[in-house]
Amino acid sequence: MYDRLTTYRIGPGLGYSFSKKKYYIYLGVGYNYDHSKYRQTIEHSTQPWADASVQYSFNNKNYISAVFHYMTSVPLSSYRSEAVVQSNPLMSYTGNPALKPYKSFDYGITYTCIPNKIISFSVYATAWSVRDRYAFVYTPSSTGILRTIEQPMGGFTSLTTGAYGRVRLLQNRLQIAGQIAVPFCHNGEPFNSDQIDVNYSLQAYWYFGAWNIGIQYFSDKSAPGSAVNGLWTKYRKTYSLSIGWGNSSWNVLAQITNPFTWNWKNSSNEMNSRYFDRKQFGYGVDSHCYIKLGVSYVFGFGKHVKQNNEASRQRGAGSAILE
């Protein structure tokens, strides 16, 4: 393809944070200026972005926090190309030069409780919603299936609720942590699907002298793809046992993962639409049995290192978008 598309974005903004006793508040607002040139067509647009986060401490054992982000996402150059790409004998791709930036919202709330030095836990809900989105549309053609991109399509919302907890016993020598999460995804036209899953994990570590033993278990889990592709991805469970030894200089670790699993398949991607369904499988070592051995040596451990005013990166607008 010899399409030529150039895009750039400038996003100036202002941020303000306020902290007083039990409150912490951050607010940020600004504008994104987008410029794009596709062949002989030049487009300009401005879209606002906004960040907000609030934390309130009821006391030194309980606090609640909430976040909100709003921004627009510029279409990838390949999504706007009019060229028709023959992917395989039955599938062709093409883009849509009329695509516009779509609006996305990230928002969430978390409650954390630390009643004592032994127990701590959090419950949370986070979501990502898209408006005026563009998405892949599969239609029959004389040569097979043609994948185009249309806008606006049905709404998209990805929501995850869950809880996380940690227990420290035997003067912190035994530490146990667990998490449960419930991801849900509403994916409107053209995929018209609602997906939900429950996954959980458990980790325990026992420390005695210079030694430690750990066990980990992560259940099967699922997650949505991007708002464009309509995918629902599933990952297989993993579990492991580790033993380690260390001092101020040396650290030695031996770990066996998935000792009773000998299948190389570790994930699957599934998508359903009116004229075309797709299912892919991923293969690798993640869910297959393997043994890991590691040895490290630390030079200069415990020495004080002076740091002076290193530059730090500030985020203007956040998003959960992965494409």
Side-chain angles (χ1 to χ4, degrees), residues 11 40 63 65 68 74 89 129 140 147 206 233 249 251 259 272 279-280 311:
Q40 302 304 315
Y63 70 88
S65 60
F68 173 82
V74 179
S129 297
R147 191 193 76 181
W206 180 34
T233 303
S249 299
N251 280 279
N272 298 285
K279 192 165 187 178
Q280 287 183 315

Side-chain angles (χ1 to χ4, degrees), residues 155 157 184-195 230-232 272:
T157 295
F184 167 79
C185 181
H186 167 72
N187 202 333
E189 188 72 25
F191 306 109
N192 296 314
S193 67
D194 291 311
Q195 302 276 8
L231 292 176
W232 182 256
N272 298 285

